[in-house]
Amino acid sequence: MKDTMNAPGFMTRSGNADQTLALAPLRRDDLPLLGFSHLSRQRRLQHAVTTRDGGARRPPQKDFNLSYTDSDDPEAVTANRLRLQHALAPGRLVFARQVHGTAVAALKQPVAAGRFPVVGTADAIVTDRPGLLLTILVADCQAVMLFDPHRRVVANVHSGWRGSIANVIGATVTVMQRDFGCRPADLLAGVGPSLGPCCAEFIHYRREIPPPLWAYRISDHHFDFWALSRDQLIGAGLSADRIGLGRVCTRCHPERFFSYRAGDKIGRFAAVIGLQPD
Ligand SMILES: [Zn+2]
């Protein structure tokens, strides 16, 4: 298997100019993960991006798939989720029913007991409660993790191209402000591995993408949704020097990440963020 992520220069070749905001390998409990440097430095904050590595199955189907949707082996998914939860302990993985919309689930009360609770139909989850590991499942879509170190609030956003158009990122920051008292200028953000401008091809963009966003068209049919997310975060009040863009394209690295466009119609990897108890 080509091990491009560990190859020298992988992170810098297409990475952030500012390495303090870059995505870097992270190991928890012997599980290979990735994390943003600026989020890793935060006290009592847990976060991670998973890869295909670490699955419960034996080769060649050893993928670390975390989604039950269409899974042919739910037991393997459960084993993978438990391994991830253990690696990020203490805390429980919490999920949302993701539908490419702009609903935000604000968790201020205790979440019902049980394994892997689904807190509602939403494409973003926000909480100030320690011990909830907010999990977003993706395979080309962006997971955007947010943290307010002053108010101690975390959020995780599922922003595919439909979410990008609808600005689910902005909707999430609004809920963080309104319901949790966050100041956008205090927020730290990390945009996970996702479809890059190299591969975000929209042949029918004239009917799929509204004209104001055609400014993000970088060639005939390719769009830079990373730049759009950065601009949406800045538009919501974040400071550019607190935004980490992973700049890792899933479609270009299908050996490391599930990519719907590369043919993975079943598997999903995850981004997770949560507050640790005092
Ligand atoms: Zn690509």
Side-chain angles (χ1 to χ4, degrees), residues 11-12 15-23 36-38 41 240-245 247:
M11 290 301 166
T12 51
N16 293 278
D18 183 350
Q19 287 301 304
T20 61
L21 297 170
L23 203 53
F36 285 94
S37 307
H38 64 313
R41 280 197 305 273
D241 62 4
R242 296 166 84 83
I243 301 168
L245 289 180
R247 293 192 187 281

Side-chain angles (χ1 to χ4, degrees), residues 19-255:
Q19 287 301 304
T20 61
L21 297 170
L23 203 53
L26 186 77
R27 217 164 241 282
R28 294 268 188 278
D29 201 24
D30 217 28
L31 182 64
L33 300 165
L34 300 169
F36 285 94
S37 307
H38 64 313
L39 295 177
S40 294
R41 280 197 305 273
Q42 301 301 312
R43 198 171 50 88
R44 291 188 286 109
L45 177 73
Q46 186 63 280
H47 86 289
V49 175
T50 66
T51 71
R52 294 184 89 118
D53 293 338
R57 286 177 171 186
R58 295 175 190 282
Q61 295 177 301
K62 62 173 185 53
D63 283 342
F64 197 65
N65 173 29
L66 294 162
S67 171
Y68 290 115
T69 309
D70 302 322
S71 171
D72 55 350
D73 190 353
E75 285 179 16
V77 174
T78 298
N80 293 343
R81 285 185 173 195
L82 287 172
R83 183 171 184 203
L84 177 62
Q85 185 170 271
H86 188 265
L88 301 179
R92 273 196 303 157
L93 297 180
V94 170
F95 296 80
R97 200 171 300 105
Q98 303 171 187
V99 292
H100 301 280
T102 56
V104 181
L107 308 181
K108 299 193 118 181
Q109 305 299 323
V111 170
R115 192 186 269 177
F116 314 140
V118 178
V119 295
T121 300
D123 284 277
I125 318 174
V126 185
T127 195
D128 56 1
R129 300 189 67 84
L132 299 178
L133 298 167
L134 311 182
T135 310
I136 292 294
L137 298 172
V138 287
D140 288 342
C141 291
Q142 294 177 19
V144 182
M145 294 177 281
L146 295 161
F147 174 55
D148 179 341
H150 296 288
R151 297 277 178 173
R152 295 202 61 79
V153 176
V154 285
N156 206 348
V157 187
H158 168 238
S159 185
W161 66 273
R162 290 182 187 85
S164 291
I165 290 170
N167 195 5
V168 63
I169 288 174
T172 306
V173 175
T174 297
V175 169
M176 295 178 83
Q177 276 180 278
R178 192 189 62 205
D179 296 355
F180 294 88
C182 298
R183 288 186 349 156
D186 292 334
L187 300 180
L188 306 174
V191 180
S194 45
L195 203 60
C198 38
C199 297
E201 186 178 22
F202 289 82
I203 291 166
H204 304 296
Y205 76 89
R206 286 178 180 278
R207 67 166 186 260
E208 289 176 336
I209 297 177
L213 300 187
W214 293 358
Y216 295 93
R217 194 162 62 100
I218 55 156
S219 64
D220 277 357
H221 300 119
H222 286 75
F223 284 74
D224 188 349
F225 283 100
W226 292 340
L228 174 56
S229 290
R230 186 196 58 218
D231 288 353
Q232 287 174 337
L233 288 164
I234 291 169
L238 274 77
S239 165
D241 62 4
R242 296 166 84 83
I243 301 168
L245 289 180
R247 293 192 187 281
V248 177
C249 174
T250 42
R251 173 74 206 269
C252 286
H253 296 283
E255 76 287 356

